Every structure is written in C-alpha cells, then in structure tokens.
C-alpha cells in the first residue's frame, strides 16, 4: 500500500527527513516502518535538536562507571558498590492526565534504574506549576502529587524530597521531573544490548494495549487548545505489576543467563528492539503475533508503537531459556519468547510469519536527523536585565516583608506535599523531607548517599548561562551541606520550541553554564533527559534546567540537616553577607517583577566552600548547615529555626551597605547570593572553622547565637525585625494550605 503525503505529514516528517528514510530503506516504507521511523526520529527519542549541544558536557571521571548512553548513569561509591541514578520528565502527559501522567513518570524512571541491575532505594521530584491561586493549578497539583504518591507508595520506594515552584510561565505547561536512585554491585550492572545470533528475545511483564501510542511523538510537539484530546497517548500504570517485574528482573540478573535487558519506555517495543540491536551491532527479529495483548485486533503498527507500562525486553543465552522462564513464572509474569537475535543487523518485524517491517538497525539510530539550529539572543533581555531600584516604591516594614516571604509558595513548607509520600518505607531514610538534601543509608556499610534536585527558571529566564551554573552549584552545595562529597550529576533540560532561535539560544547558553560548573566542581554528567516543546499556543515556559547531584557520605553518623539542633550555639555565616535583588523572590513578591540579573557564582570559591563543609562535617566542627536561596538570609535563618524542636536565634548581620540607603536593609536581609551557608558551630570549634575558612579564602563571620523563642534580626547593631517562633512556624508551615484554602473559598 502506497503512503500518501497526508500520512507522511501526520507522522511529523519534513521532506528532507522523509528522503533520508527512503535512502535508508531503498524503497517506500510500509505503514509500520513509517511509524517506527516517526517515533525513533521524534525529538523525544532522537534528541535531534540537542545532541550537538549535549556533547559539551563533561561525562568522564575517576568515579564514573557508566556515563550517558545507557538507561541510567552509575558512579563508584567504594567497596565495589555503585550508585545508579537518572532524572526523566513526564511533562506533557501530566498536563493531559495529571494522575496517570505523574504515576507513569515514576514507574518509568524506576524501570530505568532496575534495568541496570540496581535496586531502587529513593525517589525525588521537581515540579513546576502555574500560579497557586488559579483553580486549574490546584487540580493539576492534586492530580500530580496523588499520582507520584500512588505509584511510589504502592511499589515501596520512598520519596524523600524534591522541590516545587509556582510561576505564571508554567500555567499552560507544568513540569513533572522525577529522579530515582539505586545501588548495585559494580560487577553486576546490566546493559541494554542484544548480541549472539540465535539468542532468544523475550517479552516480559504486562500485556500490550493501545494506551500510549504516539506518546513520544506527543512529547515532541507543543500544546494547543486540542491537547486534551490526546489522552489516549498517556499511559496507564500498575505499580503492583511493576513490583513483581522489578523483583523478577533483579533475580534473573543474578544468573548468567541474561545477555541484555531494556525497558519499553518511550516508543515502547520499537525503541527497545532497535536500540538493543544497534548497541550490539546485531539484528533482532520478532513476531508481533506472539506479543501478549490485552486488546483484540491490534495491528503490528499499534503493537510496535504502544507505550503500555511495566514491560521489558530481554535477550537470554541460548540453551538457558528454561531458567529465565522459571524465574518469571515464579513471579506470576508473562515471559514470552517473541523472536531471536540475528547476525544481519536488521530490525525485522513479522506478523504471523509475514514480514511487515525490515529496517537496518544502525542507520535507524545513527542516521537520525541532527540539527544545528540557529540561535538568537532574545530581545526581551534588553529590558528584563535592567533593574533600577530608584524607580521602585520604598520598601515596606522589614518584618512584614519577612513574614510575607515566609508564606510565599516558593519558600513555605512543602509538608502538605511530603506527607502524602511514604518516605520511611525500606527504613533507609536518614533525613526527613524538607530538612535538607535527601539522605539514605547504603545497607551493609557505614555509608550514605546524599542527593538534591535544584533549578530556578526565573534565573535562567534572565541569564540562562548563569542560571545553569547556579543550578549545578546549588544542587552540589546542598549535598555538601549534608556533609557529603558530590561525585556525579544528572539533568533534565526543560525548554520551549527548539525551532525558535531564541529558545535554542537559551538552551545553548544553559548547557554552557552547566558544563562549566560541572567541570569546576568535578561533578560529571552521567546521563539525563531533554524535554523540548514545553509551550502552549506559542507561550514557552521559563527555560528550566533541573540538576540532580549525588554525593557520598562515608560515615552516616556525620550527616547534617538545616535546623539548629539546640540553644547556645554560635551561628556563622560562610560567604558574602550581602546579596543582590536581581531575579530575587523579594522582587517578585514585593513588586511583581522578574527583572535584573541573578548574582553570579564564583566557581572557585564555590568549590572551596563545599570542601570546607565536608571537612567541617567530618571533623564535627559544625552541628547544622543550610545554604541561602530564595528569600535571602532572613528566610534562611528562619528555616534554620522552625520545625524539629524549634530553636530561636539572635542575629546581627554586618553592615555591608549604608543603613540610610533605601534598599540597604532589604539587600542585607532579602538579597540573594550564591556560595553562602549558615552553620551552627559545635562548642569549642569556632576557631577551627574560621581558620579553615581563611585558608580557603572564604568570608566567614560570627553573626549570632541560637536560643530563645524568637528570631531577632539586626543589621550593623540596629534591630530591624523580630518574629516569635510560633508565628514563624504558622506562617511558614501553613503557607501552601492557606493558598489552597483561599482558592477553595473562591470556588465555593
């Protein structure tokens, strides 16, 4: 049957791309072949707009066991153990169907980890929504959070933290990024490769249905008013099935009967067969009539493109079939031989013996389109980067500003979210959500793994390169604040339509910033995800790279959290006392402005600061550590005081600005700057800490003492704000719920 132009266009091919397809095949494609090329050459699967730029990331290092190119990255944490981790996006599906979109995002990233032979031990998420006061936002938040909780809680993997932000830029396109961490023996890592002609190919897990067909293609296009009609492209998850699949796969990997294994994620059976074959420079032949199906009348096209969840493809050693089948039978799962590895390098698809697709594996992958798209600095920056404080109304009472910031969605406690997650299952969790970076024990050792997700779309909107540097620095700093050495990173790069030169400029700049910071801080990128076309009706999200950094803590008893643990401890500020207001939370909340430029990070000083924090934790010089972020020092200090027993503080910040300057106190209290950490000092250890800071050329000053039932702030000896602990806890602790209740009352 001849393929008409309308069908070619519906599959997203440009004339040049379709001509390349014809050259590879040497003939017209079948409809199944057209579908296979369509999903494999989609932006979501081929990274055709981003691959050139991603090559600039540092990916090697002494601890890197597996870098980009496999299902997840892996780093050595000692004693022959690796930490396996990755972050993925499920943005478009979560907008269309929030619960299943988020739930299957969790399921997919978990499969990426155990496909590597690692047992998943922790989850984090990074979420972005529109303004919190919008009823549509509340419905999205409810669905996404419930989906994350429903899947993670059911499968028994703790969600131990993350981040959540609310900005108008995400109203039409929320971001749902999910990170998973696992552990595995270095010599037991599994790879997604097919090799050995005659080796059997097995389909394992759930049956195939029509859900998720063209999911990868949907994720490679921007939204419009018809996006709600794409619900059939959203997969449906079953965490209980995934739990069985996880245990069965890990068990079969403990044998030597396995050659390779691959998750059926984006593009489903198409992606797993073609990628495994390409990696092994082999062919794969399957018969789709043998694929377990939960719907009748499915065509080869539908079977190959379905993104039904909880499915894996594996290649076993010939002659070991019975061993593999018995493992899956034990876990009450389908393990069906659907084909074999061949030596001809072809992806051959049969339907009841009849060939319906025959494509060279390597060219399908290696000759995928690769675009060097034009870049143009956005014109909006000429205005947005200009900040003249003199044009702004005088600042309000500092105490009022402080309370307002503590109650904003960006700053307020996220316990409404965390309490829906089971964060203690498996009993490895060391630090509760919201108390700092995620920390989980590595059972059988004295070690812990420490990890953090960070990103700031506002910063990247104003300066993408600096925003990229800041995201890496903050994620690594959060890990160091817990006392751990950062050793590896993953990223999820969320941007708008790459066919617009301004978007590609943002992307390229952000990649440069991330790459520079990763090199300076010695945290190689081991893998990640690119999510483009995040825009609706031409309105793009803020450029939002999210960085996940993993570190290792050799002695879990040395772990630190953000809170002051007891009264009568000295408080030391590491880093510059004053911060800038460009791109700050203060500017957004007090003046409804996203303007200026974020304060730049000095990467040499940042690295020195992180080394000092690790030494201070090992030496037990400090009792807590919390980095400054949204809201400046005043917010940082309040977060050190609330929750976990609540200890007050009396603080006097050095007068780095003239007190009669209109925004002097505002900059001192609410200005934001990188490479700045508030620590509480153990008795008798102040001089060791200050000496260590001087050796590394890190500014350090004693700014106060813990104790009492209030948080008192002074600048240059003059008291400027005073809040009771009970009031601070109420404003900060109920910030999210107060906004949600306000929305509900408006709708009633």
């Amino acid at each position: 049957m001849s393929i008409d132009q309308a069908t070619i266009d519906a599959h997203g091919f440009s004339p040049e791309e379709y001509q390349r397809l014809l050259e590879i095949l040497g003939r017209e494609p079948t409809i199944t072949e057209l579908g296979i090329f369509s999903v494999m050459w989609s932006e979501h699967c081929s990274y055709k707009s981003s691959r050139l730029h991603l090559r600039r990331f540092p990916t090697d290092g002494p601890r890197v066991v597996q870098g980009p190119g496999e299902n997840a990255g892996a780093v050595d944490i000692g004693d022959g153990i690796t930490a396996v981790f990755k972050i993925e996006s499920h943005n478009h599906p979560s907008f269309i169907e929030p619960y299943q979109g988020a739930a299957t995002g969790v399921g997919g990233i978990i499969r990426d980890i155990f496909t590597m032979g690692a047992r998943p031990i922790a989850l984090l998420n990074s979420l972005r929504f529109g303004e919190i006061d919008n009823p549509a936002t509340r419905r999205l938040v409810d669905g996404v959070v419930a989906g994350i909780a429903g899947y993670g809680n059911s499968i028994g993997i703790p969600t131990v933290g993350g981040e959540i932000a609310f900005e108008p830029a995400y109203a039409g396109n929320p971001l749902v990024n999910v990170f998973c961490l696992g552990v595995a023996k270095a010599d037991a890592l599994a790879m997604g490769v097919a090799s050995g002609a005659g080796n059997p190919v097995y389909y394992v897990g759930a049956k195939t249905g029509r859900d998720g067909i063209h999911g990868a293609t949907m994720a490679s296009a921007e939204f419009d008013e018809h996006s709600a009609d794409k619900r059939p492209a959203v997969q449906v998850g079953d965490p209980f099935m995934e739990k069985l699949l996880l245990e069965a796969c890990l068990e079969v990997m403990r044998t030597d009967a396995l050659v390779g294994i691959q998750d059926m994620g984006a593009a489903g059976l198409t992606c797993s067969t073609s990628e495994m074959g390409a990696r092994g420079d082999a062919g794969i032949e399957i018969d789709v009539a043998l694929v377990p199906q939960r719907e009748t009348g499915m065509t080869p096209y539908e079977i190959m493109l379905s993104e039904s969840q909880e499915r894996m493809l594996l290649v076993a050693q010939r002659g070991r079939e019975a061993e593999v089948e018995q493992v899956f039978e034990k876990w009450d799962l389908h393990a069906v031989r659907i084909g074999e590895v061949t030596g001809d390098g072809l992806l051959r698809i049969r339907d009841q013996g009849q060939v319906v697709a025959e494509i060279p594996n390597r060219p399908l992958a290696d000759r995928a389109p690769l675009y060097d798209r034009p870049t143009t600095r956005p014109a909006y920056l000429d205005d947005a980067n200009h900040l003249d404080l003199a044009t702004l109304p005088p600042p309000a009472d500092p105490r009022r500003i402080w309370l307002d910031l503590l109650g904003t969605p960006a700053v307020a406690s996220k316990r409404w979210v965390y309490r829906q997650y089971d964060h203690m299952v498996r009993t490895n969790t060391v630090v509760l959500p919201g108390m700092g970076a995620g920390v989980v024990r590595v059972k059988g050792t004295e070690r812990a793994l420490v990890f953090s997700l960070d990103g700031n779309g506002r910063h990247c909107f104003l300066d993408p390169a600096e925003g990229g540097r800041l995201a890496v620095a903050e994620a690594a700093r959060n890990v160091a604040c817990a006392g751990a050495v950062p050793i590896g990173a993953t990223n999820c790069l969320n941007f708008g339509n790459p066919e617009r030169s301004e978007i590609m400029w943002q992307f390229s700049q952000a990649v440069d910033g991330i790459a520079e910071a990763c090199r300076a801080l010695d945290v190689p990128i081991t893998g990640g995800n690119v999510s483009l076309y995040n825009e609706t009706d031409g309105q793009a999200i803020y450029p939002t790279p999210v960085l996940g950094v993993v570190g290792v803590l050799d002695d879990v008893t040395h772990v630190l959290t953000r809170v002051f643990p007891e009264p009568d401890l000295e408080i030391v500020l590491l880093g510059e006392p004053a911060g800038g207001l460009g791109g700050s939370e203060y500017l957004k909340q007090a003046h409804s402005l996203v303007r200026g430029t974020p304060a730049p990070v000095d990467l040499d000083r940042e690295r020195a600061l992180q080394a000092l924090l690790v030494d201070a934790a090992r030496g037990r010089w400090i009792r807590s550590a919390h980095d400054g972020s949204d809201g400046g020092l005043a917010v940082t200090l309040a977060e050190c005081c609330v929750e976990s027993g609540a200890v007050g503080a009396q603080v006097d910040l050095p007068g780095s600005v003239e007190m009669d300057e209109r925004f002097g106190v505002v900059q001192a209290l609410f200005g934001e700057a990188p490479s700045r950490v508030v620590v509480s000092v153990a008795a008798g250890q102040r001089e060791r800490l200050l000496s260590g800071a001087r050796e590394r050329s890190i500014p350090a000053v004693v700014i106060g003492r813990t104790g009492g039932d209030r948080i008192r702030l002074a600048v240059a000896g003059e008291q400027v704000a005073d809040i009771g602990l009970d009031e601070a806890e109420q404003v900060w602790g109920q910030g999210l719920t107060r906004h949600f209740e306000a929305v509900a009352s408006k709708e009633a």
Side-chain angles (χ1 to χ4, degrees), residues 358-382:
E358 194 171 78
I359 303 169
N361 263 325
R362 295 294 304 202
L364 178 63
D366 294 347
R367 294 191 63 190
L370 179 61
Y371 294 123
D372 186 6
R373 297 193 185 276
T375 61
T376 306
R377 181 180 181 274
Y380 73 79
L381 289 174
D382 294 336

PDB file of all heavy atoms in Angstrom, residues 358-382:
ATOM      1  N   GLU A 358      11.232  -4.108   7.891  1.00  0.00           N
ATOM      2  CA  GLU A 358      12.603  -4.595   7.826  1.00  0.00           C
ATOM      3  C   GLU A 358      13.512  -3.382   7.658  1.00  0.00           C
ATOM      4  O   GLU A 358      13.587  -2.804   6.578  1.00  0.00           O
ATOM      5  CB  GLU A 358      12.767  -5.597   6.675  1.00  0.00           C
ATOM      6  CG  GLU A 358      14.047  -6.391   6.737  1.00  0.00           C
ATOM      7  CD  GLU A 358      14.084  -7.515   5.730  1.00  0.00           C
ATOM      8  OE1 GLU A 358      14.340  -7.224   4.532  1.00  0.00           O
ATOM      9  OE2 GLU A 358      13.843  -8.669   6.110  1.00  0.00           O
ATOM     10  N   ILE A 359      14.187  -3.018   8.743  1.00  0.00           N
ATOM     11  CA  ILE A 359      14.928  -1.761   8.786  1.00  0.00           C
ATOM     12  C   ILE A 359      16.337  -2.018   9.318  1.00  0.00           C
ATOM     13  O   ILE A 359      16.494  -2.712  10.331  1.00  0.00           O
ATOM     14  CB  ILE A 359      14.229  -0.741   9.720  1.00  0.00           C
ATOM     15  CG1 ILE A 359      12.779  -0.508   9.271  1.00  0.00           C
ATOM     16  CG2 ILE A 359      14.992   0.574   9.752  1.00  0.00           C
ATOM     17  CD1 ILE A 359      11.964   0.283  10.288  1.00  0.00           C
ATOM     18  N   PRO A 360      17.383  -1.469   8.706  1.00  0.00           N
ATOM     19  CA  PRO A 360      18.732  -1.586   9.267  1.00  0.00           C
ATOM     20  C   PRO A 360      18.813  -0.861  10.623  1.00  0.00           C
ATOM     21  O   PRO A 360      18.477   0.323  10.717  1.00  0.00           O
ATOM     22  CB  PRO A 360      19.621  -0.907   8.222  1.00  0.00           C
ATOM     23  CG  PRO A 360      18.801  -0.843   6.975  1.00  0.00           C
ATOM     24  CD  PRO A 360      17.386  -0.760   7.401  1.00  0.00           C
ATOM     25  N   ASN A 361      19.238  -1.581  11.648  1.00  0.00           N
ATOM     26  CA  ASN A 361      19.247  -1.020  12.996  1.00  0.00           C
ATOM     27  C   ASN A 361      20.162   0.193  13.137  1.00  0.00           C
ATOM     28  O   ASN A 361      19.767   1.231  13.677  1.00  0.00           O
ATOM     29  CB  ASN A 361      19.670  -2.083  14.009  1.00  0.00           C
ATOM     30  CG  ASN A 361      18.483  -2.742  14.676  1.00  0.00           C
ATOM     31  OD1 ASN A 361      17.473  -2.097  14.929  1.00  0.00           O
ATOM     32  ND2 ASN A 361      18.623  -4.038  14.979  1.00  0.00           N
ATOM     33  N   ARG A 362      21.394   0.032  12.700  1.00  0.00           N
ATOM     34  CA  ARG A 362      22.366   1.096  12.898  1.00  0.00           C
ATOM     35  C   ARG A 362      21.978   2.384  12.179  1.00  0.00           C
ATOM     36  O   ARG A 362      21.975   3.457  12.785  1.00  0.00           O
ATOM     37  CB  ARG A 362      23.763   0.646  12.469  1.00  0.00           C
ATOM     38  CG  ARG A 362      24.370  -0.471  13.295  1.00  0.00           C
ATOM     39  CD  ARG A 362      24.656  -0.077  14.707  1.00  0.00           C
ATOM     40  NE  ARG A 362      25.517   1.098  14.824  1.00  0.00           N
ATOM     41  CZ  ARG A 362      26.227   1.391  15.876  1.00  0.00           C
ATOM     42  NH1 ARG A 362      26.219   0.582  16.894  1.00  0.00           N
ATOM     43  NH2 ARG A 362      26.980   2.455  15.917  1.00  0.00           N
ATOM     44  N   PRO A 363      21.617   2.327  10.902  1.00  0.00           N
ATOM     45  CA  PRO A 363      21.192   3.570  10.251  1.00  0.00           C
ATOM     46  C   PRO A 363      19.959   4.203  10.894  1.00  0.00           C
ATOM     47  O   PRO A 363      19.820   5.428  10.920  1.00  0.00           O
ATOM     48  CB  PRO A 363      20.913   3.137   8.813  1.00  0.00           C
ATOM     49  CG  PRO A 363      21.771   1.931   8.609  1.00  0.00           C
ATOM     50  CD  PRO A 363      21.767   1.226   9.924  1.00  0.00           C
ATOM     51  N   LEU A 364      19.042   3.371  11.420  1.00  0.00           N
ATOM     52  CA  LEU A 364      17.864   3.909  12.096  1.00  0.00           C
ATOM     53  C   LEU A 364      18.287   4.809  13.253  1.00  0.00           C
ATOM     54  O   LEU A 364      17.694   5.872  13.490  1.00  0.00           O
ATOM     55  CB  LEU A 364      16.978   2.774  12.604  1.00  0.00           C
ATOM     56  CG  LEU A 364      15.720   3.173  13.388  1.00  0.00           C
ATOM     57  CD1 LEU A 364      14.756   3.981  12.527  1.00  0.00           C
ATOM     58  CD2 LEU A 364      15.019   1.929  13.959  1.00  0.00           C
ATOM     59  N   ALA A 365      19.332   4.387  13.967  1.00  0.00           N
ATOM     60  CA  ALA A 365      19.833   5.182  15.086  1.00  0.00           C
ATOM     61  C   ALA A 365      20.863   6.214  14.640  1.00  0.00           C
ATOM     62  O   ALA A 365      20.762   7.397  14.952  1.00  0.00           O
ATOM     63  CB  ALA A 365      20.445   4.263  16.143  1.00  0.00           C
ATOM     64  N   ASP A 366      21.852   5.772  13.857  1.00  0.00           N
ATOM     65  CA  ASP A 366      22.986   6.636  13.535  1.00  0.00           C
ATOM     66  C   ASP A 366      22.657   7.722  12.528  1.00  0.00           C
ATOM     67  O   ASP A 366      23.307   8.768  12.490  1.00  0.00           O
ATOM     68  CB  ASP A 366      24.156   5.802  13.002  1.00  0.00           C
ATOM     69  CG  ASP A 366      24.727   4.865  14.044  1.00  0.00           C
ATOM     70  OD1 ASP A 366      24.384   5.034  15.232  1.00  0.00           O
ATOM     71  OD2 ASP A 366      25.490   3.947  13.674  1.00  0.00           O
ATOM     72  N   ARG A 367      21.661   7.497  11.673  1.00  0.00           N
ATOM     73  CA  ARG A 367      21.318   8.481  10.663  1.00  0.00           C
ATOM     74  C   ARG A 367      20.049   9.269  11.027  1.00  0.00           C
ATOM     75  O   ARG A 367      19.440   9.893  10.167  1.00  0.00           O
ATOM     76  CB  ARG A 367      21.168   7.815   9.294  1.00  0.00           C
ATOM     77  CG  ARG A 367      22.477   7.244   8.733  1.00  0.00           C
ATOM     78  CD  ARG A 367      22.329   6.845   7.278  1.00  0.00           C
ATOM     79  NE  ARG A 367      22.024   7.994   6.434  1.00  0.00           N
ATOM     80  CZ  ARG A 367      21.657   7.913   5.153  1.00  0.00           C
ATOM     81  NH1 ARG A 367      21.529   6.713   4.589  1.00  0.00           N
ATOM     82  NH2 ARG A 367      21.376   8.999   4.450  1.00  0.00           N
ATOM     83  N   ALA A 368      19.684   9.220  12.295  1.00  0.00           N
ATOM     84  CA  ALA A 368      18.583  10.067  12.754  1.00  0.00           C
ATOM     85  C   ALA A 368      18.944  11.522  12.514  1.00  0.00           C
ATOM     86  O   ALA A 368      20.122  11.908  12.564  1.00  0.00           O
ATOM     87  CB  ALA A 368      18.314   9.823  14.236  1.00  0.00           C
ATOM     88  N   PRO A 369      17.982  12.370  12.204  1.00  0.00           N
ATOM     89  CA  PRO A 369      18.287  13.780  11.933  1.00  0.00           C
ATOM     90  C   PRO A 369      19.068  14.423  13.071  1.00  0.00           C
ATOM     91  O   PRO A 369      18.857  14.109  14.251  1.00  0.00           O
ATOM     92  CB  PRO A 369      16.896  14.409  11.798  1.00  0.00           C
ATOM     93  CG  PRO A 369      15.996  13.277  11.431  1.00  0.00           C
ATOM     94  CD  PRO A 369      16.551  12.072  12.115  1.00  0.00           C
ATOM     95  N   LEU A 370      19.957  15.299  12.701  1.00  0.00           N
ATOM     96  CA  LEU A 370      20.743  16.059  13.662  1.00  0.00           C
ATOM     97  C   LEU A 370      20.788  17.498  13.183  1.00  0.00           C
ATOM     98  O   LEU A 370      21.289  17.792  12.103  1.00  0.00           O
ATOM     99  CB  LEU A 370      22.164  15.483  13.772  1.00  0.00           C
ATOM    100  CG  LEU A 370      23.118  16.192  14.736  1.00  0.00           C
ATOM    101  CD1 LEU A 370      22.585  16.132  16.152  1.00  0.00           C
ATOM    102  CD2 LEU A 370      24.512  15.577  14.657  1.00  0.00           C
ATOM    103  N   TYR A 371      20.233  18.393  13.998  1.00  0.00           N
ATOM    104  CA  TYR A 371      20.087  19.778  13.576  1.00  0.00           C
ATOM    105  C   TYR A 371      20.978  20.708  14.391  1.00  0.00           C
ATOM    106  O   TYR A 371      21.044  20.605  15.623  1.00  0.00           O
ATOM    107  CB  TYR A 371      18.642  20.227  13.709  1.00  0.00           C
ATOM    108  CG  TYR A 371      17.693  19.507  12.776  1.00  0.00           C
ATOM    109  CD1 TYR A 371      16.592  18.816  13.273  1.00  0.00           C
ATOM    110  CD2 TYR A 371      17.905  19.505  11.409  1.00  0.00           C
ATOM    111  CE1 TYR A 371      15.720  18.156  12.427  1.00  0.00           C
ATOM    112  CE2 TYR A 371      17.042  18.842  10.548  1.00  0.00           C
ATOM    113  CZ  TYR A 371      15.963  18.170  11.070  1.00  0.00           C
ATOM    114  OH  TYR A 371      15.111  17.512  10.216  1.00  0.00           O
ATOM    115  N   ASP A 372      21.661  21.579  13.685  1.00  0.00           N
ATOM    116  CA  ASP A 372      22.381  22.697  14.312  1.00  0.00           C
ATOM    117  C   ASP A 372      21.508  23.927  14.102  1.00  0.00           C
ATOM    118  O   ASP A 372      21.716  24.716  13.188  1.00  0.00           O
ATOM    119  CB  ASP A 372      23.756  22.863  13.674  1.00  0.00           C
ATOM    120  CG  ASP A 372      24.604  23.917  14.387  1.00  0.00           C
ATOM    121  OD1 ASP A 372      24.155  24.430  15.436  1.00  0.00           O
ATOM    122  OD2 ASP A 372      25.700  24.227  13.881  1.00  0.00           O
ATOM    123  N   ARG A 373      20.538  24.050  14.969  1.00  0.00           N
ATOM    124  CA  ARG A 373      19.537  25.102  14.782  1.00  0.00           C
ATOM    125  C   ARG A 373      20.106  26.474  15.110  1.00  0.00           C
ATOM    126  O   ARG A 373      20.983  26.616  15.963  1.00  0.00           O
ATOM    127  CB  ARG A 373      18.310  24.805  15.650  1.00  0.00           C
ATOM    128  CG  ARG A 373      17.589  23.508  15.287  1.00  0.00           C
ATOM    129  CD  ARG A 373      16.234  23.428  15.946  1.00  0.00           C
ATOM    130  NE  ARG A 373      15.551  22.179  15.747  1.00  0.00           N
ATOM    131  CZ  ARG A 373      14.823  21.861  14.696  1.00  0.00           C
ATOM    132  NH1 ARG A 373      14.689  22.731  13.708  1.00  0.00           N
ATOM    133  NH2 ARG A 373      14.209  20.688  14.601  1.00  0.00           N
ATOM    134  N   PRO A 374      19.628  27.513  14.436  1.00  0.00           N
ATOM    135  CA  PRO A 374      20.135  28.867  14.690  1.00  0.00           C
ATOM    136  C   PRO A 374      19.796  29.346  16.099  1.00  0.00           C
ATOM    137  O   PRO A 374      18.803  28.911  16.700  1.00  0.00           O
ATOM    138  CB  PRO A 374      19.434  29.721  13.627  1.00  0.00           C
ATOM    139  CG  PRO A 374      18.217  28.932  13.234  1.00  0.00           C
ATOM    140  CD  PRO A 374      18.594  27.493  13.378  1.00  0.00           C
ATOM    141  N   THR A 375      20.629  30.222  16.621  1.00  0.00           N
ATOM    142  CA  THR A 375      20.420  30.804  17.954  1.00  0.00           C
ATOM    143  C   THR A 375      20.414  32.319  17.860  1.00  0.00           C
ATOM    144  O   THR A 375      21.220  32.910  17.139  1.00  0.00           O
ATOM    145  CB  THR A 375      21.512  30.353  18.948  1.00  0.00           C
ATOM    146  OG1 THR A 375      22.789  30.796  18.468  1.00  0.00           O
ATOM    147  CG2 THR A 375      21.531  28.839  19.085  1.00  0.00           C
ATOM    148  N   THR A 376      19.500  32.935  18.594  1.00  0.00           N
ATOM    149  CA  THR A 376      19.389  34.393  18.635  1.00  0.00           C
ATOM    150  C   THR A 376      19.102  34.830  20.057  1.00  0.00           C
ATOM    151  O   THR A 376      18.179  34.308  20.695  1.00  0.00           O
ATOM    152  CB  THR A 376      18.252  34.896  17.723  1.00  0.00           C
ATOM    153  OG1 THR A 376      18.423  34.397  16.397  1.00  0.00           O
ATOM    154  CG2 THR A 376      18.214  36.419  17.706  1.00  0.00           C
ATOM    155  N   ARG A 377      19.886  35.769  20.550  1.00  0.00           N
ATOM    156  CA  ARG A 377      19.624  36.295  21.885  1.00  0.00           C
ATOM    157  C   ARG A 377      18.255  36.959  21.910  1.00  0.00           C
ATOM    158  O   ARG A 377      17.948  37.818  21.095  1.00  0.00           O
ATOM    159  CB  ARG A 377      20.700  37.308  22.284  1.00  0.00           C
ATOM    160  CG  ARG A 377      20.532  37.895  23.676  1.00  0.00           C
ATOM    161  CD  ARG A 377      21.657  38.896  23.968  1.00  0.00           C
ATOM    162  NE  ARG A 377      21.543  39.475  25.293  1.00  0.00           N
ATOM    163  CZ  ARG A 377      20.810  40.549  25.612  1.00  0.00           C
ATOM    164  NH1 ARG A 377      20.116  41.166  24.646  1.00  0.00           N
ATOM    165  NH2 ARG A 377      20.769  41.010  26.850  1.00  0.00           N
ATOM    166  N   PRO A 378      17.381  36.568  22.866  1.00  0.00           N
ATOM    167  CA  PRO A 378      16.025  37.134  22.891  1.00  0.00           C
ATOM    168  C   PRO A 378      16.021  38.636  23.141  1.00  0.00           C
ATOM    169  O   PRO A 378      16.766  39.139  23.991  1.00  0.00           O
ATOM    170  CB  PRO A 378      15.352  36.394  24.055  1.00  0.00           C
ATOM    171  CG  PRO A 378      16.157  35.146  24.247  1.00  0.00           C
ATOM    172  CD  PRO A 378      17.564  35.516  23.887  1.00  0.00           C
ATOM    173  N   ALA A 379      15.164  39.323  22.424  1.00  0.00           N
ATOM    174  CA  ALA A 379      15.084  40.783  22.560  1.00  0.00           C
ATOM    175  C   ALA A 379      14.572  41.199  23.930  1.00  0.00           C
ATOM    176  O   ALA A 379      14.896  42.297  24.406  1.00  0.00           O
ATOM    177  CB  ALA A 379      14.175  41.351  21.464  1.00  0.00           C
ATOM    178  N   TYR A 380      13.783  40.318  24.612  1.00  0.00           N
ATOM    179  CA  TYR A 380      13.213  40.719  25.902  1.00  0.00           C
ATOM    180  C   TYR A 380      14.288  41.009  26.948  1.00  0.00           C
ATOM    181  O   TYR A 380      14.042  41.740  27.909  1.00  0.00           O
ATOM    182  CB  TYR A 380      12.252  39.650  26.420  1.00  0.00           C
ATOM    183  CG  TYR A 380      12.902  38.382  26.945  1.00  0.00           C
ATOM    184  CD1 TYR A 380      13.473  38.316  28.206  1.00  0.00           C
ATOM    185  CD2 TYR A 380      12.918  37.233  26.174  1.00  0.00           C
ATOM    186  CE1 TYR A 380      14.068  37.155  28.684  1.00  0.00           C
ATOM    187  CE2 TYR A 380      13.514  36.063  26.632  1.00  0.00           C
ATOM    188  CZ  TYR A 380      14.081  36.025  27.889  1.00  0.00           C
ATOM    189  OH  TYR A 380      14.662  34.883  28.360  1.00  0.00           O
ATOM    190  N   LEU A 381      15.489  40.438  26.768  1.00  0.00           N
ATOM    191  CA  LEU A 381      16.540  40.625  27.756  1.00  0.00           C
ATOM    192  C   LEU A 381      17.010  42.071  27.848  1.00  0.00           C
ATOM    193  O   LEU A 381      17.479  42.496  28.908  1.00  0.00           O
ATOM    194  CB  LEU A 381      17.720  39.704  27.451  1.00  0.00           C
ATOM    195  CG  LEU A 381      17.476  38.209  27.711  1.00  0.00           C
ATOM    196  CD1 LEU A 381      18.663  37.386  27.235  1.00  0.00           C
ATOM    197  CD2 LEU A 381      17.209  37.954  29.185  1.00  0.00           C
ATOM    198  N   ASP A 382      16.926  42.813  26.764  1.00  0.00           N
ATOM    199  CA  ASP A 382      17.359  44.213  26.806  1.00  0.00           C
ATOM    200  C   ASP A 382      16.611  44.983  27.882  1.00  0.00           C
ATOM    201  O   ASP A 382      17.186  45.849  28.557  1.00  0.00           O
ATOM    202  CB  ASP A 382      17.139  44.882  25.439  1.00  0.00           C
ATOM    203  CG  ASP A 382      18.016  44.290  24.367  1.00  0.00           C
ATOM    204  OD1 ASP A 382      19.070  43.716  24.707  1.00  0.00           O
ATOM    205  OD2 ASP A 382      17.647  44.386  23.170  1.00  0.00           O
TER     206      ASP A 382
END
